Amino acid sequence: PVFFMVPFSVAALQFGRSLPPRVRTYLPPIVTCGALALAGCLAFGMLRLGLDWEAALQTYRTAAGDGPGDLLYSQASPVVVALGFRLFEQRRRLKEEAVGLVVG
């Protein structure tokens, strides 16, 4: 498996977070991360491993659960729980801004 993709994915997320706020309004860091991770996985798979695009993506997230995407995906649950705690801490502000959040 291509485990360099884990730090590449994290670097892509950090890159997305470093973009100016006006850019992040239309291109959130998670979208930047996903797009760059996809592009990096495809480029590495095609150039280094000689795989077609579908096989390159299958090395990122494998059926055996040992790909770099599987490692990142396994960390998703703790991240969601941490986000829940943060939202709970900000519940008063969320109530104050509820209309703006719902309307857009």
Side-chain angles (χ1 to χ4, degrees):
V2 285
F3 281 104
F4 91 95
M5 286 302 299
V6 172
F8 184 82
S9 297
V10 173
L13 181 62
Q14 291 296 56
F15 173 76
R17 292 180 69 201
S18 71
L19 293 173
R22 292 185 76 181
V23 174
R24 285 191 315 235
T25 301
Y26 302 104
L27 192 62
I30 195 69
V31 172
T32 305
C33 175
L36 291 176
L38 175 65
C41 181
L42 291 174
F44 181 78
M46 293 172 144
L47 298 174
R48 180 80 171 120
L49 302 175
L51 302 172
D52 64 352
W53 68 272
E54 190 173 344
L57 290 177
Q58 288 173 347
T59 63
Y60 189 69
R61 184 112 195 265
T62 65
D66 61 353
D70 299 308
L71 176 65
L72 291 174
Y73 187 73
S74 71
Q75 300 304 310
S77 295
V79 169
V80 170
V81 170
L83 178 61
F85 281 115
R86 182 78 174 138
L87 287 173
F88 182 76
E89 292 171 354
Q90 299 290 326
R91 66 187 179 276
R92 183 170 17 108
R93 184 172 179 204
L94 286 170
K95 287 178 185 177
E96 292 170 359
E97 303 291 335
V99 173
L101 289 171
V102 173
V103 175

